[in-house]
Amino acid sequence: MILVIAEQRDGQLNKASWEVVTAAQRLSARIGGAPVKVAVLGAAVTAAAGEMAGAAVAEVLAVEHPALEPYTADGFVGALEPLVASQAPDYVIVAHTYQARDFVPKLAARIDAALITDVVGLAEAEGRPAFTRLVFQGKLAADVLPEGKPPCLVTCQAGAFPADAAARGAAPAPVTTVAATLDPASIRQKPEAPFREARQAVDLSQAARIVAVGRGIREQDKLPMAEELAKLLGAELAASRPICDAGWLPPERQVGSSGQTVAPKLYLALGVSGAIQHAVGMKASKTIVAINKDAEAPIFEVADYGIVGDLFEVVPALIKELQKS
Amino acid sequence: MKIAVCLKQVPSRDWQPRVNEARTWVRDAEATFEMNEPDAYALEEGLRLKERHGGEVVVCSAGPARVSQVVREALARGADRAIHVESDALAAADGAAVAGALADAMGGEAFDLVLTGLQSDDQGLAQVGVALAERLGMPHATIIMEVKVEDGALRVKRELEGGWFQWVAMPLPAVLTIQSGINQLRYATLKGIMAAKKKEIRKVEAAACASRQRIVNLYAPQKTKQTTMIGGSAAEAAAELVKRLRDEARAID
Ligand SMILES: Cc1cc2nc3c(=O)[nH]c(=O)nc-3n(C[C@H](O)[C@H](O)[C@H](O)COP(=O)(O)OP(=O)(O)OC[C@H]3O[C@@H](n4cnc5c(N)ncnc54)[C@H](O)[C@@H]3O)c2cc1C
């Protein structure tokens, strides 16, 4: 059996929950059609569980306890340990969200299970399913086999398995409500309500064109060159996270999973490697140009046009070219 | 406050990883190494907390003999002493094995606070900090962007997706996984480098460490997108790109 753990907040399912249903169904097809079940955890999750029941799965478990809301790692692991013991799945599949990063490694350690994180695809090795993940900053891919006794825990990268490829059932799957066994006193984290920082001065999502600088720019003193290019293109200046971490540009100019999501007409990336956390924030851009000295950089995987070269030579040449007209 | 900072030594970012013959790991004998970036931020946070609240910062690192390079660097930046869990097998081990090795070595120390980076730049499993918390029986919080210690308890700012944050309170002792950018890093001074030479590095032999996963095939990721690569000199490439952006993509006027 394959157990999917869906993610919901305030009754709203995370879209990535459908992506992991796709992953579970594809894995099931490789291991002789093992049944897929979906667990939804929270204080009252019948509506979200009902939504998941639209998927072609064997059963949806609404795992409820007042202490599961708000989310805490202690609460989730406390509820999941007995659930996994009683359901005895071969695989447990979760989306690689911030929430999963927070509780899945704890669950794996608690039940002494293999945990393969941030998976982007399925492979096969030694006659059983292997899981593909990117390593060394996306420069290499690795097919990985779990070792030891089941279950094997797997988290899937956002967007790796398409949500709309999840097979839907002819009739809704049965929903079973499970009262979680959980001692509220065992929850040590006391979370407060999520918030956003003060209103952001720049709204990059409205920009028609963006010039983004990455660590390839090397020094803060080199930023004016990128600014000049941006000005000539009528573009806003943006950056990868390390540039904002260093304080060279304000955080509101950061593009990516922990920054802004943008989709301009033109996105020109200078010395950005194209890590997944950056790519998710810009890959919907209409035209993407990458200038990078490393021909193997993952950014070329999302780029429409690429120049392999030193940005300190290419950018001045671009500025010159644009000044001509 | 007795603060532990877990540090990993990883291949340098600008090293182009090459796959070994068996396709199971990289040829790391050819690599240059550096401190894993989020761990450097964890170290800085540990040093700042010590400056504010007193106590000591103990660096803990699991890996082959070569990791003493980043351990020395951390001591030079101001850490007081170090624990090095030494084993060649730990270089390519998974989160379960590394957390196990660290927990065994750290268990007797009674740390008040354990800081790790949120993930490593090599395998990027993002497991060690959280698994270590479970092993040590401590509460944890992940992807932390601010740490406050008030009356023997913690209040930390967790980064959530898409620009959201959340404060979480919990008792000490606890484990936090630190996100890059939480602070501004300091660099070692000459004085720090000299002082580091006299600081203690306790070597601990790793018990047999069992990874719960194994890389069976390592390769260059397949390309799926058709990227139009523009070659030539910088001037030629620039002219060609501008032309294509105007006439083909219509992305500029
Ligand atoms: C939970 C989490 C959230 C994150 N959120 C974000 C986010 O929102 N946004 C984000 O961007 N990152 C985010 N990151 C970080 C992300 O994983 C990468 O570390 C980061 O995007 C890398 O930034 P970079 O491409 O600028 O640097 P690097 O990866 O160091 O790449 C620099 C690139 O510049 C190239 N280069 C160097 N010199 C030159 C030159 N002279 N000419 C041309 N090219 C050159 C190199 O070949 C390299 O490809 C997050 C990470 C985590 C774990």
Side-chain angles (χ1 to χ4, degrees), chain A residues 98 101 137 214-216 218 240-242 254-259 271-275 277-278 291-294 297 309-312, chain B residues 13 118-119 159 179:
Chain A
Y98 276 42
R101 285 164 160 275
Q137 305 276 297
R215 193 151 27 199
R218 265 199 323 251
S240 66
R241 178 160 185 142
Q254 181 187 317
V255 169
S257 61
S258 53
V272 174
S273 64
Q277 293 90 356
H278 188 81
I291 299 171
N292 196 303
K293 67 174 184 189
D294 175 11
D310 185 343
L311 73 90
F312 298 106
Chain B
R13 243 185 319 270
L118 82 171
Q119 68 184 55
E159 179 180 302
Q179 168 68 302

Side-chain angles (χ1 to χ4, degrees), chain B residues 51-124:
Chain B
E51 283 159 8
R52 238 174 288 145
H53 302 281
E56 66 168 341
V57 172
V58 183
V59 167
C60 305
S61 188
R66 60 169 160 77
V67 312
S68 58
Q69 170 220 349
V70 292
V71 169
R72 283 276 170 225
E73 195 181 321
L75 294 173
R77 288 191 199 179
D80 298 288
R81 61 185 171 93
I83 301 173
H84 175 184
V85 190
E86 192 175 334
S87 155
D88 287 346
L90 286 167
D94 77 346
V98 173
L102 287 172
D104 288 348
M106 294 166 67
E109 290 267 0
F111 288 112
D112 299 305
L113 183 63
V114 178
L115 306 178
T116 72
L118 82 171
Q119 68 184 55
S120 64
D121 284 347
D122 52 1
Q123 295 207 67

Side-chain angles (χ1 to χ4, degrees), chain B residues 189-218:
Chain B
T189 58
L190 191 59
K191 200 167 142 237
I193 295 168
M194 296 311 288
K197 293 191 171 137
K198 292 192 217 84
K199 291 177 178 171
E200 178 206 8
I201 301 180
R202 177 159 70 86
K203 295 224 179 194
V204 178
E205 214 163 307
C209 68
S211 282
R212 297 301 310 269
Q213 57 199 291
R214 176 163 54 94
I215 294 175
V216 287
N217 192 15
L218 193 61

Side-chain angles (χ1 to χ4, degrees), chain A residues 110-324:
Chain A
R110 174 79 57 88
I111 65 176
D112 188 22
L115 167 56
I116 305 176
T117 44
D118 213 4
V119 164
V120 297
L122 299 177
E124 199 174 293
E126 301 172 14
R128 57 191 174 112
F131 299 89
T132 307
R133 55 194 307 281
L134 298 175
V135 292
F136 295 94
Q137 305 276 297
K139 289 179 189 148
L140 293 173
D143 294 344
V144 179
L145 276 180
E147 298 271 33
K149 61 174 178 28
C152 167
L153 277 47
V154 176
T155 68
C156 298
Q157 188 170 95
F161 297 89
D164 53 16
R168 306 241 160 196
V175 177
T176 309
T177 302
V178 182
T181 39
L182 178 62
D183 174 13
S186 68
I187 299 176
R188 295 162 293 182
Q189 299 94 352
K190 306 281 175 247
E192 297 170 22
F195 65 95
R196 271 171 178 281
E197 298 288 14
R199 253 199 76 73
Q200 312 199 311
V202 233
D203 184 4
L204 292 177
S205 68
Q206 298 304 313
R209 296 179 199 86
I210 289 176
V211 169
V213 294
R215 193 151 27 199
I217 198 85
R218 265 199 323 251
E219 293 162 30
Q220 189 169 16
D221 294 353
K222 299 292 194 311
L223 283 178
M225 181 182 77
E227 268 160 14
E228 190 181 353
L229 177 62
K231 208 162 152 216
L232 284 165
L233 289 168
E236 284 283 353
L237 195 61
S240 66
R241 178 160 185 142
I243 301 300
C244 300
D245 283 350
W248 297 356
L249 281 175
E252 66 244 32
R253 295 208 177 257
Q254 181 187 317
V255 169
S257 61
S258 53
Q260 299 205 40
T261 300
V262 299
K265 211 154 64 165
L266 174 66
Y267 191 92
L268 201 155
L270 305 174
V272 174
S273 64
I276 174 67
Q277 293 90 356
H278 188 81
V280 293
M282 49 66 82
K283 66 180 178 194
S285 305
K286 188 147 178 294
T287 299
I288 298 172
V289 179
I291 299 171
N292 196 303
K293 67 174 184 189
D294 175 11
E296 307 295 323
I299 190 74
F300 290 119
E301 182 59 23
V302 294
D304 299 288
Y305 298 101
I307 297 177
V308 177
D310 185 343
L311 73 90
F312 298 106
E313 289 172 16
V314 179
V315 173
L318 269 174
I319 290 171
K320 230 185 203 164
E321 188 65 32
L322 289 163
Q323 279 167 340
K324 277 188 199 163

Side-chain angles (χ1 to χ4, degrees), chain B residues 148-167:
Chain B
K148 289 183 178 167
V149 180
E150 295 158 354
D151 307 323
L154 268 182
R155 201 162 163 265
V156 296
K157 188 165 132 193
R158 236 187 111 201
E159 179 180 302
L160 305 176
E161 278 122 340
W164 287 81
F165 296 91
Q166 173 183 48
W167 286 98

